[in-house]
Short mmCIF file of all heavy atoms in Angstrom, two decimals:
data_model
loop_
_atom_site.label_atom_id
_atom_site.label_comp_id
_atom_site.label_asym_id
_atom_site.label_seq_id
_atom_site.Cartn_x
_atom_site.Cartn_y
_atom_site.Cartn_z
N VAL A 1 8.76 -19.49 -21.21
CA VAL A 1 8.74 -18.14 -20.64
C VAL A 1 10.15 -17.59 -20.69
O VAL A 1 11.10 -18.24 -20.23
CB VAL A 1 8.22 -18.16 -19.19
CG1 VAL A 1 8.31 -16.77 -18.58
CG2 VAL A 1 6.80 -18.68 -19.14
N ASP A 2 10.26 -16.41 -21.24
CA ASP A 2 11.56 -15.76 -21.26
C ASP A 2 11.79 -15.10 -19.91
O ASP A 2 11.21 -14.06 -19.59
CB ASP A 2 11.59 -14.71 -22.39
CG ASP A 2 12.96 -14.05 -22.52
OD1 ASP A 2 13.84 -14.36 -21.69
OD2 ASP A 2 13.14 -13.23 -23.44
N VAL A 3 12.62 -15.74 -19.09
CA VAL A 3 12.83 -15.25 -17.73
C VAL A 3 13.59 -13.93 -17.71
O VAL A 3 13.70 -13.29 -16.66
CB VAL A 3 13.56 -16.30 -16.88
CG1 VAL A 3 12.70 -17.53 -16.71
CG2 VAL A 3 14.91 -16.65 -17.48
N THR A 4 14.14 -13.53 -18.83
CA THR A 4 14.86 -12.26 -18.87
C THR A 4 13.93 -11.09 -19.10
O THR A 4 14.32 -9.94 -18.93
CB THR A 4 15.93 -12.28 -19.97
OG1 THR A 4 15.29 -12.39 -21.26
CG2 THR A 4 16.88 -13.45 -19.80
N MET A 5 12.65 -11.38 -19.49
CA MET A 5 11.69 -10.30 -19.71
C MET A 5 11.18 -9.79 -18.37
O MET A 5 11.03 -10.56 -17.41
CB MET A 5 10.52 -10.78 -20.55
CG MET A 5 10.86 -11.13 -21.98
SD MET A 5 9.40 -11.71 -22.88
CE MET A 5 8.38 -10.25 -22.83
N PRO A 6 10.90 -8.50 -18.28
CA PRO A 6 10.32 -7.97 -17.03
C PRO A 6 8.93 -8.53 -16.80
O PRO A 6 8.17 -8.75 -17.76
CB PRO A 6 10.29 -6.45 -17.27
CG PRO A 6 10.29 -6.30 -18.76
CD PRO A 6 11.10 -7.45 -19.30
N GLY A 7 8.57 -8.80 -15.53
CA GLY A 7 7.25 -9.34 -15.23
C GLY A 7 6.16 -8.30 -15.34
O GLY A 7 6.41 -7.09 -15.39
N ARG A 8 4.94 -8.79 -15.40
CA ARG A 8 3.80 -7.88 -15.43
C ARG A 8 3.68 -7.19 -14.07
O ARG A 8 3.84 -7.83 -13.04
CB ARG A 8 2.51 -8.63 -15.74
CG ARG A 8 2.46 -9.23 -17.15
CD ARG A 8 1.06 -9.75 -17.44
NE ARG A 8 0.97 -10.32 -18.78
CZ ARG A 8 1.08 -11.62 -19.04
NH1 ARG A 8 1.31 -12.46 -18.05
NH2 ARG A 8 0.98 -12.07 -20.27
N PRO A 9 3.39 -5.91 -14.04
CA PRO A 9 3.26 -5.22 -12.75
C PRO A 9 2.08 -5.75 -11.95
O PRO A 9 1.01 -6.03 -12.51
CB PRO A 9 3.05 -3.75 -13.15
CG PRO A 9 2.52 -3.81 -14.55
CD PRO A 9 3.15 -5.01 -15.19
N VAL A 10 2.26 -5.90 -10.67
CA VAL A 10 1.21 -6.38 -9.77
C VAL A 10 0.69 -5.19 -8.97
O VAL A 10 1.46 -4.47 -8.34
CB VAL A 10 1.74 -7.46 -8.82
CG1 VAL A 10 0.66 -7.90 -7.85
CG2 VAL A 10 2.27 -8.65 -9.61
N ASP A 11 -0.61 -4.98 -9.01
CA ASP A 11 -1.21 -3.89 -8.25
C ASP A 11 -1.10 -4.19 -6.76
O ASP A 11 -1.61 -5.22 -6.28
CB ASP A 11 -2.68 -3.71 -8.63
CG ASP A 11 -2.84 -3.15 -10.04
OD1 ASP A 11 -1.89 -2.52 -10.52
OD2 ASP A 11 -3.89 -3.39 -10.67
N ALA A 12 -0.42 -3.35 -6.04
CA ALA A 12 -0.26 -3.53 -4.60
C ALA A 12 -1.47 -2.98 -3.85
O ALA A 12 -2.07 -1.99 -4.26
CB ALA A 12 1.01 -2.83 -4.12
N GLY A 13 -1.84 -3.66 -2.78
CA GLY A 13 -2.91 -3.14 -1.95
C GLY A 13 -2.44 -1.93 -1.16
O GLY A 13 -1.24 -1.63 -1.11
N ARG A 14 -3.37 -1.24 -0.57
CA ARG A 14 -3.01 -0.06 0.21
C ARG A 14 -3.97 0.08 1.38
O ARG A 14 -5.05 -0.52 1.39
CB ARG A 14 -3.04 1.19 -0.67
CG ARG A 14 -4.43 1.56 -1.20
CD ARG A 14 -4.33 2.61 -2.27
NE ARG A 14 -3.78 2.07 -3.50
CZ ARG A 14 -3.34 2.82 -4.50
NH1 ARG A 14 -3.36 4.13 -4.41
NH2 ARG A 14 -2.88 2.26 -5.61
N LEU A 15 -3.57 0.85 2.34
CA LEU A 15 -4.42 1.07 3.51
C LEU A 15 -5.57 1.99 3.17
O LEU A 15 -5.42 2.96 2.42
CB LEU A 15 -3.59 1.68 4.65
CG LEU A 15 -2.47 0.80 5.23
CD1 LEU A 15 -1.68 1.59 6.26
CD2 LEU A 15 -3.04 -0.46 5.85
N HIS A 16 -6.73 1.69 3.74
CA HIS A 16 -7.90 2.56 3.59
C HIS A 16 -7.57 3.93 4.19
O HIS A 16 -6.80 4.05 5.14
CB HIS A 16 -9.08 1.93 4.31
CG HIS A 16 -10.40 2.56 3.99
ND1 HIS A 16 -10.82 3.72 4.60
CD2 HIS A 16 -11.39 2.20 3.14
CE1 HIS A 16 -12.02 4.04 4.14
NE2 HIS A 16 -12.39 3.12 3.26
N VAL A 17 -8.16 4.97 3.61
CA VAL A 17 -7.87 6.33 4.06
C VAL A 17 -8.20 6.52 5.54
O VAL A 17 -7.49 7.25 6.25
CB VAL A 17 -8.62 7.36 3.19
CG1 VAL A 17 -10.12 7.14 3.21
CG2 VAL A 17 -8.28 8.78 3.62
N ILE A 18 -9.24 5.84 6.05
CA ILE A 18 -9.57 5.96 7.47
C ILE A 18 -8.51 5.26 8.31
O ILE A 18 -8.13 5.75 9.39
CB ILE A 18 -10.96 5.38 7.76
CG1 ILE A 18 -12.03 6.19 7.02
CG2 ILE A 18 -11.25 5.41 9.26
CD1 ILE A 18 -12.02 7.67 7.32
N THR A 19 -8.00 4.15 7.84
CA THR A 19 -6.91 3.47 8.56
C THR A 19 -5.67 4.35 8.58
O THR A 19 -4.99 4.46 9.61
CB THR A 19 -6.60 2.13 7.90
OG1 THR A 19 -7.78 1.31 7.88
CG2 THR A 19 -5.51 1.39 8.66
N GLN A 20 -5.36 4.97 7.46
CA GLN A 20 -4.21 5.88 7.41
C GLN A 20 -4.38 7.01 8.42
O GLN A 20 -3.44 7.35 9.17
CB GLN A 20 -4.05 6.46 6.00
CG GLN A 20 -3.73 5.44 4.92
CD GLN A 20 -3.64 6.09 3.56
OE1 GLN A 20 -3.20 7.23 3.42
NE2 GLN A 20 -4.08 5.38 2.54
N THR A 21 -5.56 7.62 8.42
CA THR A 21 -5.81 8.74 9.32
C THR A 21 -5.75 8.30 10.78
O THR A 21 -5.17 9.00 11.64
CB THR A 21 -7.20 9.35 9.03
OG1 THR A 21 -7.25 9.75 7.65
CG2 THR A 21 -7.47 10.55 9.91
N THR A 22 -6.34 7.13 11.07
CA THR A 22 -6.31 6.61 12.44
C THR A 22 -4.87 6.40 12.90
O THR A 22 -4.50 6.75 14.03
CB THR A 22 -7.09 5.29 12.53
OG1 THR A 22 -8.46 5.54 12.20
CG2 THR A 22 -7.01 4.69 13.91
N ARG A 23 -4.04 5.84 12.04
CA ARG A 23 -2.64 5.61 12.42
C ARG A 23 -1.91 6.94 12.66
O ARG A 23 -1.08 7.02 13.57
CB ARG A 23 -1.94 4.79 11.33
CG ARG A 23 -2.44 3.35 11.25
CD ARG A 23 -1.57 2.51 10.33
NE ARG A 23 -1.99 1.12 10.35
CZ ARG A 23 -1.32 0.14 9.75
NH1 ARG A 23 -0.21 0.40 9.08
NH2 ARG A 23 -1.76 -1.11 9.82
N ASP A 24 -2.21 7.93 11.85
CA ASP A 24 -1.57 9.24 12.07
C ASP A 24 -1.97 9.82 13.43
O ASP A 24 -1.14 10.40 14.15
CB ASP A 24 -1.95 10.20 10.95
CG ASP A 24 -1.31 9.83 9.61
OD1 ASP A 24 -0.33 9.05 9.62
OD2 ASP A 24 -1.80 10.31 8.57
N ILE A 25 -3.26 9.68 13.77
CA ILE A 25 -3.74 10.21 15.05
C ILE A 25 -3.09 9.47 16.21
O ILE A 25 -2.61 10.08 17.17
CB ILE A 25 -5.28 10.09 15.12
CG1 ILE A 25 -5.93 11.01 14.08
CG2 ILE A 25 -5.78 10.43 16.52
CD1 ILE A 25 -7.43 10.80 13.92
N LEU A 26 -3.06 8.14 16.12
CA LEU A 26 -2.46 7.36 17.20
C LEU A 26 -0.98 7.67 17.34
O LEU A 26 -0.46 7.75 18.46
CB LEU A 26 -2.66 5.86 16.93
CG LEU A 26 -4.11 5.37 16.89
CD1 LEU A 26 -4.14 3.86 16.69
CD2 LEU A 26 -4.85 5.73 18.16
N ARG A 27 -0.30 7.87 16.22
CA ARG A 27 1.13 8.19 16.28
C ARG A 27 1.35 9.51 17.00
O ARG A 27 2.29 9.65 17.80
CB ARG A 27 1.69 8.24 14.86
CG ARG A 27 3.22 8.40 14.81
CD ARG A 27 3.73 8.44 13.38
NE ARG A 27 3.33 7.23 12.67
CZ ARG A 27 2.44 7.20 11.67
NH1 ARG A 27 1.86 8.32 11.28
NH2 ARG A 27 2.14 6.07 11.07
N ALA A 28 0.49 10.50 16.73
CA ALA A 28 0.63 11.81 17.36
C ALA A 28 0.51 11.69 18.88
O ALA A 28 1.27 12.31 19.63
CB ALA A 28 -0.41 12.78 16.81
N PHE A 29 -0.43 10.87 19.36
CA PHE A 29 -0.62 10.75 20.81
C PHE A 29 0.42 9.81 21.44
O PHE A 29 0.82 10.02 22.59
CB PHE A 29 -2.03 10.27 21.12
CG PHE A 29 -3.06 11.37 21.00
CD1 PHE A 29 -3.96 11.40 19.94
CD2 PHE A 29 -3.11 12.38 21.94
CE1 PHE A 29 -4.88 12.41 19.83
CE2 PHE A 29 -4.04 13.40 21.84
CZ PHE A 29 -4.92 13.43 20.77
#
């Protein structure tokens, strides 16, 4: 393996849209 080569991109997980919205609501209060 050529360690100088860039690695393959890894798809990062993300928060569900309802979780995002819930956190925004809780932050506001």
Side-chain angles (χ1 to χ4, degrees):
V1 176
D2 184 356
V3 295
T4 65
M5 293 180 63
R8 294 189 180 97
V10 177
D11 291 336
R14 65 191 71 194
L15 295 176
H16 192 279
V17 58
I18 297 304
T19 302
Q20 296 178 35
T21 303
T22 298
R23 290 190 175 188
D24 290 342
I25 294 171
L26 297 183
R27 187 180 302 112
F29 283 108

